[in-house]
Structures are given as structure tokens and as C-alpha cells.
Amino acid sequence: MKWYLAKLVYRILCGDGKHTPQFDEQLRLINAENELHAFQKARVFGHREQDNFLNASEKPVLWKFIDVSEVHELSSLNDGVEIYSRISEEENGDIFTKLTLLRAAHLQENFMHTSMQLN
């Protein structure tokens, strides 16, 4: 058995669906014999985890599974191994860099706060 990384894509529909289209892309670890088996298992997870519920405004919300858009074999599961990469082009590199640094600082603060509460 080998480890694979699969990207599952869901469409999120709220109320009557007259809103900006929303999608959720999820990366999942899949243990399978080969790529086809990983793809099939990921599809099963995707269909099984579709959901519908009422939001806080009592409007229906549907998470509709679209399909598996990517499957990648992971050569090893070691500390620090890269499992996913995406290159993007941003309109403003400085703003993107500042937002990344702010997110990192926020994560660090939350982790430190949680760690202090546990001690």
C-alpha cells in the first residue's frame, strides 16, 4: 500500500444558489494500492461526506461533491516532506507578503496561547 494526496472538490450552495459560486477544495491522505484505487477511494469519501443543513439564517446549505481533481503519489511521509505546492500570481506582491506574515504571526500567537493554557 502507498500513500496518495487527493484533492476533493465540493460546491457550496446556500439558499436559492443566487450568490457568488463557492467551492471547497480539500486535500486528503489516501492509503491505496495504486493511483486508480486512490482515486476510487477519494470519490467514495467525497460522496459519503456530501452534506446539507440549515444555516444560522434557517436557509438550506448544500455541500455537493463535484469530483476528485488531482491524485499524487507521496514518495515518503517524513518530517518536512512537501505534499502540495501551488504557484499563484498576485496583483500586489507586497500585500500578499504582508498578509502571509500577518497570518503566520496570528498562528504563532494562537499556538503559544493554547500551549500556555495547557500548562
Side-chain angles (χ1 to χ4, degrees):
M1 298 285 270
K2 299 177 185 176
W3 286 101
Y4 295 87
L5 186 68
K7 183 187 284 186
L8 284 67
V9 181
Y10 293 85
R11 174 118 190 223
I12 305 167
L13 297 165
C14 299
D16 58 8
K18 294 180 182 176
H19 55 80
T20 302
Q22 292 180 317
F23 298 90
D24 181 40
E25 296 179 315
Q26 301 179 2
L27 299 178
R28 302 288 188 96
L29 282 175
I30 307 289
N31 194 3
E33 296 170 12
N34 54 45
E35 286 180 328
L36 177 60
H37 185 217
F39 178 76
Q40 292 168 333
K41 283 182 73 173
R43 275 186 160 175
V44 169
F45 289 135
H47 285 292
R48 186 179 340 157
E49 296 178 16
Q50 293 185 109
D51 199 6
N52 58 2
F53 54 90
L54 296 177
N55 65 14
S57 302
E58 296 295 315
K59 293 186 178 180
V61 177
L62 172 65
W63 282 60
K64 180 175 177 20
F65 177 62
I66 296 175
D67 214 331
V68 176
S69 64
E70 297 179 39
V71 173
H72 304 280
E73 182 179 344
L74 301 176
S75 56
S76 62
L77 292 179
N78 296 317
D79 192 24
V81 70
E82 180 179 308
I83 59 170
Y84 183 75
S85 174
R86 183 179 80 97
I87 296 174
S88 64
E89 294 183 4
E90 304 295 329
E91 290 294 320
N92 188 318
D94 290 338
I95 290 175
F96 182 82
T97 300
K98 286 178 185 176
L99 287 174
T100 300
L101 292 171
L102 284 171
R103 287 183 185 118
H106 181 72
L107 282 174
Q108 182 179 16
E109 184 178 319
N110 284 344
F111 294 150
M112 290 176 68
H113 180 73
T114 301
S115 177
M116 289 188 326
Q117 285 182 337
L118 295 175
N119 292 332

